[in-house]
């Protein structure tokens, strides 16, 4: 428990610190996290007996994140107005995954291709959407919304754990996560919504109703992401996704709620600001 608390403390400090260091550091930091999550995913898949194209997948993951992240830095580097054309190079980059498999002597080439793409979709794309939350207001970089996203996500996880442990009786989805309960799920939503309301007092980009709406979205969709990650780990018979964070497992375990919630929240906020 002590190791878990110390790891969690420094992890939160580093994550929150990334928001105050400026747009460039924010972009690079979450790009690194995205690639580490992708690498962790490929490592788990290899344990299950499959053989994804790790090197090509990681290169595509880096390029996918960087190409979309660069679009938000036009105001910082006005001379890079044609940088959006980098996105179109994703097509030949992705095709390299298929071409590489032609030269590999494996029994299940399309399974390897599928897992290579799945890793990018499951880890890199969500971080791309999370990164975009920092620019969704159309007024330059603002750390408030992505920071608020993580704070509400953590509030939901903490609330679900505490309420579920104290009052949990009815299983939520026992087949994939035996410890989750409906009571914990509802408790997580309520505590996350309270956190959203508190955030609205200090972060004025959204009114309180919108912050609370985002909190509810994070709680519902984030829980689904948690269940999907649990389903994935059970399918390959592992308990923790990795050991990078002592006492907390791997990065996939820490960001499972983000993977599905970030794209949904971005879509919601995009329509609000546009």
């Amino acid at each position: 428990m002590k190791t878990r608390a110390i790891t969690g403390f420094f992890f939160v400090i580093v994550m929150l610190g990334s928001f105050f260091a400026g747009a460039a550091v924010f972009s690079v930091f979450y790009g690194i996290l995205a690639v580490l999550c992708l690498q962790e995913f490929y490592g788990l898949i290899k344990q299950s007996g499959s053989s994804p194209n790790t090197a090509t997948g990681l290169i595509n993951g880096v390029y996918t994140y960087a190409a979309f992240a660069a679009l938000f830095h036009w105001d910082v580097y006005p001379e890079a107005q044609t940088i959006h054309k980098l996105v179109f190079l994703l097509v030949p980059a992705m095709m390299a995954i298929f071409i590489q498999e032609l030269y590999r002597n494996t029994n299940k080439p399309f399974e390897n291709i599928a897992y290579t793409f799945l890793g990018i979709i499951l880890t890199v794309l969500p971080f791309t959407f999370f990164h975009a939350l920092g620019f969704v207001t159309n007024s330059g970089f603002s750390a408030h919304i992505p920071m608020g996203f993580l704070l509400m996500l953590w509030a939901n996880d903490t609330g679900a754990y505490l309420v579920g442990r104290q009052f949990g009786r009815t299983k939520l989805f026992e087949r994939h996560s035996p410890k989750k309960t409906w009571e914990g799920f509802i408790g997580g939503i309520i505590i996350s919504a309270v956190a959203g309301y508190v955030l609205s007092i200090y972060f004025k980009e959204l009114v309180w109703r919108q912050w609370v709406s985002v909190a509810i979205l994070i709680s519902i969709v984030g829980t689904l992401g948690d269940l999907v990650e649990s389903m994935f780990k059970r399918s390959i018979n592992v308990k923790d996704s990795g050991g990078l964070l002592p006492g907390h497992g791997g990065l996939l375990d820490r960001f499972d709620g983000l993977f599905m919630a970030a794209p949904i929240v971005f879509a919601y906020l995009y329509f609000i600001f546009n």
Side-chain angles (χ1 to χ4, degrees), residues 57-69:
L58 288 173
I59 292 172
N60 272 275
V62 171
Y63 188 79
T64 298
Y65 180 90
F68 284 101

Side-chain angles (χ1 to χ4, degrees), residues 51 53 56 95-110 112-113:
S51 181
N53 302 307
T56 309
M95 292 303 101
I97 295 174
F98 291 93
I99 295 171
Q100 183 188 17
E101 198 64 31
L102 289 173
Y103 296 93
R104 301 177 73 200
N105 185 18
T106 59
N107 295 325
K108 300 178 179 179
F110 276 90
N112 299 333
I113 292 170

Side-chain angles (χ1 to χ4, degrees), residues 1 3 20 27-28 44 54 67 75 98 132 135 138 140 150 155-156 161 169 173 185 199 214 216 221 257 264:
M1 182 62 71
T3 301
F20 298 103
S27 299
V28 171
L44 291 174
T54 302
D75 293 335
F98 291 93
F135 303 85
N138 297 320
L150 286 183
N156 173 70
Y161 172 76
R169 298 292 183 272
F173 216 124
F185 173 64
L199 286 170
V214 170
I216 294 172
V221 185
I264 298 296

Side-chain angles (χ1 to χ4, degrees), residues 22-41:
V25 173
F26 171 78
S27 299
V28 171
F29 179 76
Y30 286 96
I32 292 172
L33 282 181
V35 174
L36 289 176
C37 285
L38 180 58
Q39 184 178 36
E40 192 172 273
F41 176 87

Side-chain angles (χ1 to χ4, degrees), residues 16-17 36 101 115 126 144 166 171 176 183 197-198 202 249 251:
L16 293 180
L36 289 176
E101 198 64 31
Y115 276 127
H144 290 169
Q166 187 70 29
K171 300 299 182 182
H176 296 303
E183 292 83 359
Y197 179 79
V198 173
Y202 301 99
L251 288 174

Side-chain angles (χ1 to χ4, degrees), residues 1-220:
M1 182 62 71
K2 183 178 179 181
T3 301
R4 180 182 177 89
I6 293 174
T7 302
F9 174 77
F10 283 105
F11 183 66
V12 169
I13 292 297
V14 171
M15 299 240 350
L16 293 180
S18 68
F19 294 115
F20 298 103
V25 173
F26 171 78
S27 299
V28 171
F29 179 76
Y30 286 96
I32 292 172
L33 282 181
V35 174
L36 289 176
C37 285
L38 180 58
Q39 184 178 36
E40 192 172 273
F41 176 87
Y42 287 151
L44 291 174
I45 292 299
K46 287 182 178 180
Q47 291 181 32
S48 70
S50 296
S51 181
N53 302 307
T54 302
T56 309
L58 288 173
I59 292 172
N60 272 275
V62 171
Y63 188 79
T64 298
Y65 180 90
F68 284 101
L71 298 177
F72 297 101
H73 290 270
W74 283 5
D75 293 335
V76 181
Y77 304 105
E79 68 276 10
Q81 291 297 307
T82 60
I83 203 167
H84 66 280
K85 296 179 180 179
L86 292 174
V87 174
F88 294 100
L89 294 179
L90 282 172
V91 176
M94 293 291 182
M95 292 303 101
I97 295 174
F98 291 93
I99 295 171
Q100 183 188 17
E101 198 64 31
L102 289 173
Y103 296 93
R104 301 177 73 200
N105 185 18
T106 59
N107 295 325
K108 300 178 179 179
F110 276 90
E111 180 179 291
N112 299 333
I113 292 170
Y115 276 127
T116 304
F117 278 107
L118 179 61
I120 297 171
I121 294 169
L122 186 66
T123 61
V124 175
L125 287 185
F127 272 105
T128 301
F129 280 103
F130 176 77
H131 170 269
L133 289 176
F135 303 85
V136 73
T137 61
N138 297 320
S139 58
F141 173 68
S142 173
H144 290 169
I145 290 180
M147 185 191 304
F149 178 99
L150 286 183
L151 291 173
M152 290 184 289
L153 181 64
W154 293 336
N156 173 70
D157 291 344
T158 303
Y161 172 76
L162 295 176
V163 174
R165 185 176 182 181
Q166 187 70 29
F167 304 105
R169 298 292 183 272
T170 310
K171 300 299 182 182
L172 176 65
F173 216 124
E174 190 171 10
R175 181 157 57 94
H176 296 303
S177 186
K179 294 183 179 180
K180 282 186 170 51
T181 63
W182 278 102
E183 292 83 359
F185 173 64
I186 294 171
I189 292 176
I190 294 172
I191 293 178
S192 183
V194 171
Y197 179 79
V198 173
L199 286 170
S200 72
I201 299 173
Y202 301 99
F203 298 163
K204 300 301 184 179
E205 288 83 356
L206 301 170
V207 299
W208 73 268
R209 292 183 298 275
Q210 293 167 339
W211 276 113
V212 171
S213 296
V214 170
I216 294 172
L217 282 175
I218 289 173
S219 298
I220 295 173

